[in-house]
Amino acid sequence: MISLRVHVSCSDGLVAVRSKRPLPVSWCEAACPGTSMASMVASGNQDGPSVVLKGVDPETCMIVFKNHWAQVVKILEKHDPLRHTSVLTLGSSGRASRCGAIPGDEASAVQNYVEHILFLLMEEDCGQAGAMGPILEFVIMENIMERLFVWSLRREFTDDMKLEQLKMYEMLVGQARQPLLHHKPILRPLMMLLSSCSGTAAPQVEAELVLLLNQLCCVLAKDPSVLELFFHTSEDQGATNFLIFSLLIPYIHREGTVGQQARDALLLIMSLSAENQRVAKHIAENTFFCPVLATGLSGLYSSLPTKLDVPNEEWHCLHREDWLRIPALVQFLNSLEFCNAVIQVAHVDVRDQLVSYIYNGFLVPVLAPALHKTTVEEVMTTTAYLELFLRSVSEPALLQTFLSFILLHRYENVHILDTLVSRINTPFQLGTVSLALFRTLIGLYCEDVMLQLVLRYLIPCNHMMLSQRRVVRERDCYSVSAAKILALTPSCCSPDRSPPPLRQLESILFSKGPETPDKTESFSSDDGLGNSCTIGSELYLDVSYLHYLYDARLSISSCLRACQVWSAPYDGLDPPPDQYQAGVLEEPLLKTKQINIRKIKQPIVLRRPAPSADSTAAILELEWDDSYDACPVQNPEATVEEKTVLPEVEPPKHIQEMRRTAIMLVKDSYIEESEFQDDVLVYSLVAKKDSHDVERTQLRISESGASAGVEFKNGVKGSDAKMDGKSGQKNSTSEMAEDLLAQYEDLIRTLDPEVGDRMGGVEAEGEKREDEGGEEEEEMDFSAFTGETLESDTLPFPFGPKPRSGSTSRSPSVPFTGPFISVLLSRLENMLTNPLHVNLLLTGIVAQLAAYPQPLLRSFLLNTNLVFQPTVRSLYQVLAIVKTRIEELTVRRTDFTEMITTAQHWLLARESRATENTRSEEPGLLLQNPPPPKPKPMSLDHTDVFATVLFSEFLKELAAIAQEHSILSYIPMEE
Amino acid sequence: MNLNPFWSMSTNTSRKQHRSDNEEQGGHGDHRSSPARLSFGKKQLPAIPKNAVPITKPPSATIPVQSTNGTHASYGPFYLEYSLLAEFTLVIKQKLPGIYVQPSYKSALMWFGVIFIRHGLYQDGVFKFTVYIPDNYPDGECPKLVFDIPVFHPLVDPVSGELDVRRAFTKWRRNHNHIWQVLMYARTIFYKINTTEPLNPEAAVLYEKDVQLFKSKVVESVKLCNSHLFDQPKIDDPYAISFSPWNPAVHEEAKERMFAYKRRPEEQHKGTQVSGLSWVKPGSTQPFSKEDSPPQS
């Protein structure tokens, strides 16, 4: 039977390739010893060719070529079973004669000749007017390449043999002087070779295969006309269309050089797809490129450490040197970067498909639950990852995917954004890591982010008195606000008190007219006609302030430039304040990108939730949202009643409970009405309530053994009937998603066992989650946190003095500037107890916000003339509170002023140390020219001292920003 | 001193920018925004023109206190400087026809200007002037405007060349009065002649009694002013406005750049690494409300 196949294979060379089974060993008993053909060819080429062809005329080359080929043919024919007389007499004897061992000397002779003829082929130039050279023509006529391939098949087709063939083609493709791939007799055996390598596992063969594929892609990129041939040849083959692409897919997530080469090659094809609709269509509809890529991210993510070894307390984001130490993270970032690159270059169809798979296959099913894990450490780690991912992604479409996940996706009915904002106020490093995340978000200059975070609360202009609306756009021509901000400088930090080098003065002649010897005096400028003006005098300037002005100018002008793409000026007129309606946010990607997912029809059928179910869910959520957001705080009882009347619009139970306790708290002691209507921030109020509950807290702490695993649960305490119905619906959606995921996993396993193994991890994790959802009740348990701060008298409230709670869409009548601003100001107000690094982050973020040119935001933060509603707290108010506290400290503690000076020196030294490694978050503190004196050692525990120094510098920073705004924002942009 | 090519100075966006440009371009009013070209990271003072005498001196022990806008004395100059910068940007915004001004290098309190009269009695007049701003601006007197050469005009002092500004701004009110208004006023007097309480009674009387003679005197005065156009600036300052005869080698390139300028901004912004993001549909206040795919950069 086998011999029959071989007959066929010899005639057209197909069958042997189609049968994926390895050829029987007995077929070629003797292993071919000696050097491999291609390695000889390759080495011959590297060491300088044995034949020097320069100046040799083509005819001679042709004669040599034909001679060598004739020798090869002799050997080939000698062993050609077709020509063997015993072909028809099948049996053991025939088998022996036909498949008899090819003598080693014959094999190496062939190799020798082949080395030479390939070299001749490679070195041949194009004929006239782009015609084939004579050698190439001969190669094609004689079908040399295919015969050589068959020859190598006839010998034992081992990995070594594949390697030889691959190297041979790699050399030809890479170095030939005329286009070879256009010719079927060359392309066909190549494709046969490639498809015979598709199941390969030997690392060397894989490396060589990927290298060859990479080279083929380079050729494709240079000469897209070859593309057609690749499609056609594959059709002839009956194998997968566009084989070189399919062969590359399994290597997408591979580590090391092989992975990198494969990704580079794929990128070449991606950019090809941008111009070639057919390639794009093929990739999007007939391959699993996008799902493999996206779910690969999930797989790689699952192998990331769930808890990070945090170097110190100050650590708050993953820097390069951090993630380089975590190989799994490096690999994840490689793949993410590849996704980014694909999205950058690929056709829009491919891009959209990939983006939707990343959303539905990675962000929603993997990252969202990871952001809601049960311990603070895990949540912090995920937050740090998310921040790093945001920094690593640059392509707008991919950024949009991540951002819409953060802004619009709801997990357990709470927007991810709200959860993240609420965490700013948590103690431990989670708070600072969350701050760092927001620093990155704000630094994107993204309108959508700023709209959700801040601007939507300012658009209705409820935060100010009605008469003040025009002030929003008013220009502070005379630096009044800057002066008011600087006037908050604590007396102990007055610029007049600080000696050099803490304060550098530069005298600048603020006068005009011709140079006069006596500069300090006011003088008269005589213009020769008797006209004189009394002007000017010499003034002394605080040089550090000049630096702040310079910095402010840079940050505002880059922000201005960036915001040119925004849809509205946010100036109190556009968008119009009176028409503002906080709509219900939905996830557009889930809806619109369905079509793309559906495009893949075979072999797996992807099921998506029916659109009707989606829409009903949306309506339910909408009603639910309205009810609990619009509920008036002033009469909480009424709200509760209302809810019993309308049970179908109840908020989730945990939120209800939270709010109830919070309201009780307010009635009891905490008097700031209309402040907490928010789902998420109510958590912190509950925490305060819990802090009274000492017994319970201590019990908890002893239970958990005060170990590292502080519980951080997420607040679903059972659910009522209505909620069951809803969660049922949700489950069906998530089931779908998991179904989808499971199918990817199967797919990946078939493609690449390595990634498949990793996917197992995701799966396991998914199951774990299910279990948790079923049995474990989740709640945000802040009681454990509060245990730590109980003893501290300096902290009246564990999470900042007056946490302003916010709502995602509150009724427009209640003045409120949003949870983010509230949390930020709360933490800022607590400056004196914050560690230095937290204050650096905080002030950095506020300065970042203040650099935004939108009049609504600018006026809210920097205009000290604006009159706000009594319940609205402004930045200026918070700063004034901090100043008052500092003045109290100065009076109370005699050594305070002295310590300030020490701290200034310490910070100055720190600043000059960090010249190269300066992190962007550190504002230009105290610049200096002379080397600073060695500072006295000072403990960072003196947070109030450092905070005071930072505070006075922060005032300068803000004042400088306010001053620059009065200029830069009014310079007419080029028409 | 002749670094400033003809009139390309007043459209500079700010004085600060001009300083940095000046260093590299030798005074050519280059309009590209400068921050991107300044060295980042390192903080530095604005560059000083090569030909300017440094006017800073080492810190001195005595700190003269001058309170300008209240609060700390050492910030006073910053407030003043920024108030004047704000005034200057207001001037730019007004796009006053035929008027070009530029603050001096040495002090923001002194602005050099030139006014082109395009029709009327003073047609073809090119009058250079200097604006002096009191150092307690904006709480002091109104700024003075002095023509380099006393133009024959009822409201211009025939000796000092000072324009009677005070009649238009009896009391200088912060937030209401701005320097562009003074410049605008200086332009108006050449088109609409007022003879009440003149600084130059001769001109006033002639205008009332013998317009023909007045006209010929004006023509003479315009001729005189224009004949001194290429003179060295009255005040020695790197930013003083000076005219020179058309020299293709110097001016042609600058002219081409000025005319090509309008087409440039688009390209300019592509190269900058900072670019914002927005998927908000205009008119909507919802994130990701744009229906089309995200913008491709």
Side-chain angles (χ1 to χ4, degrees), chain A residues 32-47 107-119 122 145 148 151-152 155 157-173 175 193 208 211-212:
Chain A
C32 295
T35 49
S36 73
M37 165 170 66
S39 67
M40 276 170 64
V41 175
S43 65
N45 183 50
Q46 276 163 12
D47 305 337
S108 63
V110 169
Q111 282 157 16
N112 261 323
Y113 289 127
V114 166
E115 176 200 338
H116 283 101
I117 64 172
L118 284 183
F119 183 73
M122 224 171 64
M145 297 311 288
L148 286 175
W151 164 254
S152 76
R155 296 160 69 214
F157 198 54
T158 54
D159 284 346
D160 284 343
M161 205 62 75
K162 287 178 188 170
L163 211 56
E164 263 177 25
Q165 290 272 315
L166 288 169
K167 280 184 178 166
M168 189 174 85
Y169 276 101
E170 189 245 308
M171 201 179 67
L172 272 181
V173 169
Q175 296 179 41
L193 171 67
E208 198 53 41
L211 183 64
L212 175 58

Side-chain angles (χ1 to χ4, degrees), chain A residues 351 447 475 512 551 964, chain B residues 43 82 89 109 278 296:
Chain A
R351 186 192 74 187
E447 180 174 9
R475 178 177 184 173
K512 58 187 157 213
D551 274 3
E964 278 296 341
Chain B
K43 312 210 169 181
Y82 273 76
T89 57
L109 290 169
S278 171
Q296 287 290 300

Side-chain angles (χ1 to χ4, degrees), chain A residues 351 445 447-448 451 475 478 486 505 507 511-512 539-540 546-547 550-551 553 585 924 964 974, chain B residues 17 38 43 45 57 60 64 66 69 79 82 89 107 109-110 175 261 277-279 286 288 293 296:
Chain A
R351 186 192 74 187
Y445 301 125
E447 180 174 9
D448 308 65
L451 184 62
R475 178 177 184 173
Y478 309 116
L486 283 169
L505 289 180
S507 82
S511 62
K512 58 187 157 213
L539 296 168
Y540 291 85
L546 274 182
H547 300 317
Y550 183 71
D551 274 3
R553 182 183 157 72
L585 299 168
E964 278 296 341
E974 301 96 315
Chain B
Q17 263 179 324
L38 293 172
K43 312 210 169 181
L45 291 165
K57 67 177 193 185
S60 99
Q66 175 172 352
N69 275 354
Y79 305 146
Y82 273 76
T89 57
S107 168
L109 290 169
M110 180 166 64
N175 281 320
Y261 176 57
L277 298 165
S278 171
W279 294 280
Q286 296 301 304
F288 306 108
S293 311
Q296 287 290 300

Side-chain angles (χ1 to χ4, degrees), chain A residues 485-495 497 832 879-894 896-897 900 944 947-948 951-952 955, chain B residues 72:
Chain A
I485 290 168
L486 283 169
L488 291 177
T489 306
S491 54
C492 55
C493 293
S494 157
R497 293 186 60 111
L832 294 180
L879 295 174
I881 291 168
V882 176
K883 178 204 159 64
T884 314
R885 287 185 189 160
I886 292 172
E887 298 297 354
E888 284 165 12
L889 271 177
T890 318
V891 173
R892 212 167 52 229
R893 283 165 51 178
T894 46
F896 197 70
T897 313
I900 293 286
D944 46 0
T948 303
F951 176 72
S952 63
L955 293 178
Chain B
H72 279 290

Side-chain angles (χ1 to χ4, degrees), chain B residues 247-267:
Chain B
N247 175 359
V250 177
H251 298 130
E252 198 64 57
E253 193 204 332
K255 182 184 162 191
E256 267 166 31
R257 252 193 297 159
M258 284 175 84
F259 283 99
Y261 176 57
K262 292 224 155 129
R263 271 173 267 127
R264 237 174 38 192
E266 291 276 319
E267 304 151 30

